[in-house]
Amino acid sequence: MLYIGCHLSASKGFLAMGKQAAEIGANTFQFFTRNPRGGKAKPIDEDDIKAYLEFAEEHKFGKIVAHAPYTLNAAAADKRIRDFAYETFKDDLMRMEYLPGNYYNFHPGSHVGQGAEKGTELIADILNRVLFPEMTTTVLLETMAGKGSEIGRSFEELKAIIDRVELSDKLGVCLDTCHISDGGYDIIGNPEGVLDEFDRILGIDRLKAVHLNDSMNPAESHKDRHAKLGEGFIGFDALIKFISMPAIDGLPINLETPNEIEGYAKEIAMVKKAML
Ligand code: FE
Ligand code: FE
Ligand code: ZN
């Protein structure tokens, strides 16, 4: 089953996102839980959520992916920034329970000179404080391009975090094709090898979602600049080959390409056609 969608604006609520997704041929989507730069989330609108859940069931949507704000840095050196990460994370996970069984994706964080080891400890510490046994949400660590001091540039770095978390059954991984290419994984030449390595280090069951992006830069550039599908260094055929592998089947695949809604509609149609 192909679940394909894109990043949508959450400003008009969940039913509006569901309808917009359906209009552009999507059956999943991603959204920010609040302003990407941080700040307060809107109050929960239970009627809107109820209407969305009915709509999603009727339209056979897959799981949806909430994305934490970019300013959330669980590995920050400044305690105030870590406290903001903790409060945001905790509040977001509480809110996610209104949409049971979906995904909450976050960027593990940047260690800002403290070293990957220290950063890893800080990220695991926050996860150990915000995860709770009754939660139905799975928290996804996103694979990162390795820009600056970003943690999560390799499968090993993600594993080091997961290994330190008590409720690690609540954790999964969201694989971003632009980021792993920028991180040095050869998804063009050896896509099977990339997923074999993922399986060897993390276990393929941890793979829960995909961000489908081309990259403006060649492999191993550690830049993190997304390109439209087929307009970057990965190329359309390699991207399609990648998401056609059995391990990806049934996972929500979301575009985060530099597009307005019409561009997303076009790319979703391209992907669907190629996946037939
Ligand atoms: Fe992201
Ligand atoms: Fe991403
Ligand atoms: Zn990115």
Side-chain angles (χ1 to χ4, degrees), residues 110-129:
S110 293
H111 65 68
V112 288
Q114 304 174 93
E117 173 76 25
K118 178 70 185 169
T120 301
E121 265 173 46
L122 293 170
I123 296 161
D125 175 62
I126 284 193
L127 286 168
N128 278 322
R129 287 156 65 207

Side-chain angles (χ1 to χ4, degrees), residues 174-175 177 207-212 242-243 248 251-254:
C174 174
L175 187 156
T177 54
L207 182 57
K208 303 292 188 196
V210 172
H211 287 163
L212 186 64
F242 189 78
I243 59 170
I248 311 286
L251 306 184
I253 298 171
N254 280 299

Side-chain angles (χ1 to χ4, degrees), residues 16-143:
M17 282 191 281
K19 284 184 170 169
Q20 188 170 41
E23 264 168 38
I24 59 171
N27 54 359
T28 182
F29 59 88
Q30 175 174 274
F31 62 98
F32 282 123
T33 53
R34 58 190 75 213
N35 184 304
R37 310 234 156 265
K40 254 180 114 61
K42 286 196 307 184
I44 297 273
D45 178 347
E46 293 197 48
D47 291 336
D48 174 51
I49 288 181
K50 189 165 168 281
Y52 166 72
L53 291 173
E54 279 167 20
F55 183 88
E57 177 156 346
E58 205 179 302
H59 289 77
K60 302 200 165 42
F61 273 35
K63 288 180 190 286
I64 55 174
V65 182
H67 197 304
Y70 290 144
T71 44
L72 190 149
N73 184 8
D78 183 337
K79 186 167 180 305
R80 282 165 308 179
I81 298 175
R82 289 203 307 277
D83 287 345
F84 167 80
Y86 168 74
E87 294 299 338
T88 302
F89 220 125
K90 203 173 81 162
D91 185 48
D92 279 352
L93 290 184
M94 184 274 290
R95 299 158 62 87
M96 286 299 290
E97 290 301 311
Y98 286 88
L99 291 147
N102 288 294
Y103 294 134
Y104 180 75
N105 174 70
F106 79 112
H107 295 178
S110 293
H111 65 68
V112 288
Q114 304 174 93
E117 173 76 25
K118 178 70 185 169
T120 301
E121 265 173 46
L122 293 170
I123 296 161
D125 175 62
I126 284 193
L127 286 168
N128 278 322
R129 287 156 65 207
V130 298
L131 302 181
F132 54 100
E134 305 78 23
M135 67 191 279
T136 65
T137 305
T138 301
V139 172
L140 307 182
L141 297 106
E142 182 166 348
T143 60

Side-chain angles (χ1 to χ4, degrees), residues 6 51 82 92 95 130-131 141 149 156 162 164 168 185 194 267 271:
C6 64
R82 289 203 307 277
D92 279 352
R95 299 158 62 87
V130 298
L131 302 181
L141 297 106
S149 64
E156 286 85 353
I162 294 171
R164 286 175 176 269
S168 60
Y185 291 95
V194 173
E267 289 192 341
V271 170

